[in-house]
Amino acid sequence: MANPQRSARRPARRVSLVAASLIALVVAGGLSLWGATAAADFVESRADRDVSAALADYDWVTVRTDGLQVQLGGIAPDEVQRFRARARAESVVGAGRVVDEMQVAAAAALATPAFEVELLRNDQGISIIGLVPTSLDRTALVERLKRQTGVAQVSDLMETADYPVPEGWEDAFAFGLRAAQLAERAKVSVAEGEVSVRAVTDNPREKLALEAALKRARPAGVTLKTDITAPRPVIAPFTLRFVKDATGTRFDACAADTDSARDRILAAGREAGVPGEPQCTLGLGAPSPRWADAAVPAIRAVEALGAGSVTISDTDVALFAPADVAAARFDEAAGRLESALPPAFSLTAQHEKADDAAKGPAEFTAVVDPGGVSLRGRITDDRMREAVESLARARFGQVDSALRSDDSVPEGWTLRAIAAIEAVSGLERGTATVTPDLVRISGVSGSQTASDTVAARLAQRLGAGARYELAIRYDRRMDPLLGLPSGIECVDRLNAAMQESEIGFEPNKSVIAGDPGPTLARLAETMQQCTDFRIEIGGHTDSQGSEGFNAELSRSRAQAVLTAMAEAGIVTGNLTAKGYGESQPIAENDTDAGREANRRIEFTLLADEPVVTEAPAPAALVKGVTDSPEAVAARVQETALVAATAAIGPALGVPTDPRLALKAATEPAALAIAPVEPKQAGTLPLEAAALPDMLAREAATRPAAGLLPQTAPVDPALAATLPAAAMLVEAATETATLPARGAVQPNRPLPRPETGAAP
């Protein structure tokens, strides 16, 4: 039998072992948990420390660790900074452990768009481009511009935005519209408180007027910027004169072809001692694109001399030094200038001698323009001055004289001055300069043989051995033989064509009624010779209807005529259309006849001078010495002989006798007394005897009668070439002037009679 006491102790011992095991397990688990926790804390703290150190430059990043994960937070300035911070953290702990919880700062609110507008105006209309407030009544704006400017078309290319209107916008916008009304060809830029105007005007006078009008219209608080240009004038001859003497250093005349050339010339002048802000005119007509390359060294040559002058007339450069300038200095300055001048420029250098100095500055100048003649320089005495001024008044009408009496001028000085005045009298514009050893003539003429004529006049007055230089440019529009109309004649012919065969319109419309073909044909015939003038086609209405409607109707009708002319093949580049509505009546509006007269299309000349599309060719420089009067007379007689015989024989179909032809050209009055049969004399003028018109016969047979005073000899060349032109009789022109013109100017194509034509 078992021992009961021993059996009772076994369960108790078993319980103790279980408890100990449990305690051991608990302790082991606690130790493991503590170790794991400590390890995790170490990893977290290490990762936090390393990542935070790596992101020290990114002060906006927050670093938080959760076990092995590293959580990045914060607000990045932009997406680039966010990417860089994440890449920096991943380089420390690995990409798989980084949790990106960063955010990017919201983009700044978009700025309110600026209201800006550009108004582009030309002859075809106005275009408006830009952003304007929603509150703007765009339809009313378009109608307003049409009514106030009379343009054909207003294109609305604007966009609107519903944003607050900034202060200063309303005033600037209203001023911009006013600027678009004032400037007919312009770009007007409008911004908050600022208006910029870039415009082109027809001439400097209009430029000044537009600038003044814009300044008057500018409201307070609005900034105005302008860039207004005007066509440059044609300067003939292209002249620069720089002087350094006892009275100071100055430009007596200054012309430049470009802005950069003007700046260079004025800078050289200031360096040479010109005070203040000298002026230099920009113009067309420079003889060479290297004008400044000639002007600048010429100015520096005078500066090197210390006293003297230089004159550049087209390509002719004249350097003058007074007697007190050392000869060595003069030679050096002249040599340097000659080597510096561009090709085509020629230098004449004059050093006054000591014995000449006592005679004073011997120079005489006559400047001719459409307003008359200006006389400057020295003349022998008061009596000779009166004689010279009297001759100038006889030749030119208006005389502006500032001549000074000086009995020390060289011998024959007055005769040289008279010869210069007579020589320049045949030019439309020009300058005659007389010095003791040279007569210089430059200018513009409508004759291709002007240089020959001037040389002949100098020879007749001065005799043989006088040196001259001629630089005369031919202008075809001034040529009387071509008969080109002036601007006023052009508009007179256009208006006459409209009056004789007016272009009509449908009632209250701008649609042309009927067939405008005959009228357009007449307009095209006139415009063939008038395309280079700026001409306005003005539309006018009667007073019936509203003022705004009439203004728009007149403008539309003028534009319709311009369009029809263009479609008919007429060059309309210099034509503009404008509507005047009822503002310029020519008759009363209370009668049908008056209203009919007021409804019209009228052409108006906008500028007297034609539009210059390219600089004219420079004048050819002609240098020479006059022949004897006998040689000149022989040459003129030969010219008359050729002029009289060149086309007479072929026109009559008979041989021509040169002797009788010369007599017919130079002494036609004798033929009127003792008529010679045409086939015997072989002369064309007598053919006019068969004409029923006595005036034609007079013009053809007595040409010398009205050419010169009875006391003066008849110039054979004039007798042969000019009589019929003065009479303007068609038959006489055909018989007396065409052959002579062809002989004197053989390079110009002219209609010639057919060989064998019946008399």
Side-chain angles (χ1 to χ4, degrees), residues 48-399:
D48 184 275
R49 184 178 67 252
D50 293 345
V51 172
S52 296
L55 298 176
D57 295 337
Y58 299 83
D59 53 2
W60 49 268
V61 178
T62 60
V63 180
R64 187 168 61 86
T65 56
D66 185 6
L68 296 178
Q69 293 183 339
V70 177
Q71 298 174 348
L72 302 181
I75 300 176
D78 51 53
E79 193 65 39
V80 174
Q81 296 296 320
R82 173 184 178 180
F83 175 79
R84 290 177 177 174
R86 178 175 175 175
R88 185 75 63 86
E90 289 176 349
S91 67
V92 175
V93 299
R97 295 174 57 189
V98 177
V99 177
D100 184 0
E101 295 180 351
M102 294 179 290
Q103 298 180 0
V104 178
L110 294 177
T112 301
F115 292 123
E116 294 181 344
V117 168
E118 283 189 350
L119 296 97
L120 309 177
R121 182 178 178 184
N122 53 30
D123 296 335
Q124 284 69 46
I126 298 177
S127 298
I128 313 175
I129 307 169
L131 183 68
V132 296
T134 306
S135 58
L136 177 66
D137 189 341
R138 295 162 58 180
T139 302
L141 172 63
V142 170
E143 293 301 321
R144 173 185 171 190
L145 285 175
K146 285 184 177 181
R147 182 175 64 256
Q148 293 181 345
T149 63
V151 297
Q153 181 70 30
V154 176
S155 301
D156 180 2
L157 305 176
M158 296 179 288
E159 296 182 359
T160 60
D162 190 11
Y163 291 103
V165 179
E167 183 179 357
W169 164 257
E170 296 289 351
D171 289 343
F173 186 67
F175 178 48
L177 297 180
R178 177 60 178 160
Q181 297 171 26
L182 294 171
E184 296 185 356
R185 295 181 299 280
K187 181 179 81 169
V188 180
S189 302
V190 181
E192 177 185 346
E194 180 178 296
V195 174
S196 299
V197 180
R198 296 186 62 185
V200 177
T201 59
D202 292 332
N203 52 60
R205 184 180 65 255
E206 290 188 8
K207 173 186 176 182
L208 295 176
L210 177 58
E211 290 175 339
L214 290 172
K215 290 179 180 178
R216 287 194 302 268
R218 182 184 67 86
V222 175
T223 301
L224 171 63
K225 297 180 180 179
T226 59
D227 181 10
I228 302 174
T229 59
R232 297 175 180 176
V234 177
I235 302 174
F238 217 74
T239 305
L240 183 144
R241 179 171 172 80
F242 184 76
V243 180
K244 192 178 185 72
D245 56 19
T247 62
T249 305
R250 64 192 181 276
F251 285 102
D252 278 352
C254 184
D257 54 340
T258 64
D259 290 319
S260 61
R262 178 182 59 185
D263 294 342
R264 291 177 57 195
I265 292 171
L266 294 180
R270 285 190 290 267
E271 291 175 1
V274 177
E277 294 295 332
Q279 300 298 315
C280 196
T281 304
L282 283 176
L284 302 175
S288 167
R290 300 188 62 185
W291 173 259
D293 293 339
V296 170
I299 294 171
R300 290 174 178 169
V302 175
E303 180 185 11
L305 291 174
S309 67
V310 65
T311 302
I312 308 178
S313 179
D314 287 333
T315 57
D316 181 28
V317 182
L319 179 67
F320 171 81
D324 55 356
V325 174
R329 175 179 290 188
F330 172 78
D331 292 340
E332 180 181 358
R336 290 184 182 277
L337 176 57
E338 186 171 17
S339 62
L341 288 176
F345 287 87
S346 60
L347 174 65
T348 300
Q350 179 184 358
H351 188 194
E352 187 179 41
K353 303 302 181 183
D355 55 347
D356 295 333
K359 300 177 182 179
E363 184 172 288
F364 172 88
T365 303
V367 179
V368 176
D369 57 35
V373 61
S374 299
L375 305 179
R376 299 291 185 270
R378 302 297 178 93
I379 202 67
T380 307
D381 51 35
D382 292 343
R383 185 171 60 86
M384 291 296 99
R385 182 182 64 210
E386 292 176 1
V388 169
E389 292 174 352
S390 177
L391 174 65
R393 277 191 292 271
R395 293 288 189 267
F396 305 102
Q398 296 295 326
V399 176

Side-chain angles (χ1 to χ4, degrees), residues 665-756:
T666 59
E667 299 182 20
L671 297 178
I673 298 173
V676 180
E677 290 295 328
K679 292 184 180 297
Q680 294 177 345
T683 60
L684 196 58
L686 279 182
E687 186 187 4
L691 298 175
D693 190 347
M694 182 60 66
L695 185 61
R697 182 173 181 230
E698 289 289 323
T701 62
R702 302 181 62 187
L707 290 176
L708 298 172
Q710 295 298 320
T711 57
V714 176
D715 186 335
L718 293 177
T721 60
L722 293 183
M727 305 301 291
L728 295 178
V729 177
E730 181 177 358
T733 302
E734 291 292 331
T735 59
T737 63
L738 289 183
R741 282 186 287 169
V744 176
Q745 301 179 29
N747 294 328
R748 178 182 299 167
L750 291 171
R752 305 299 294 269
E754 295 181 359
T755 302

Side-chain angles (χ1 to χ4, degrees), residues 533-588:
F533 285 102
R534 288 191 52 77
I535 299 174
E536 176 187 272
I537 305 175
H540 302 266
T541 67
D542 56 31
S543 61
Q544 293 182 328
S546 67
E547 181 179 348
F549 174 79
N550 288 336
E552 175 60 21
L553 178 63
S554 63
R555 185 208 58 76
S556 299
R557 287 180 171 179
Q559 183 62 40
V561 173
L562 178 59
T563 302
M565 292 176 68
E567 292 175 350
I570 300 174
V571 178
T572 59
N574 291 320
L575 299 183
T576 59
K578 187 173 183 178
Y580 291 92
E582 60 190 75
S583 63
Q584 298 182 6
I586 58 174
E588 298 295 334

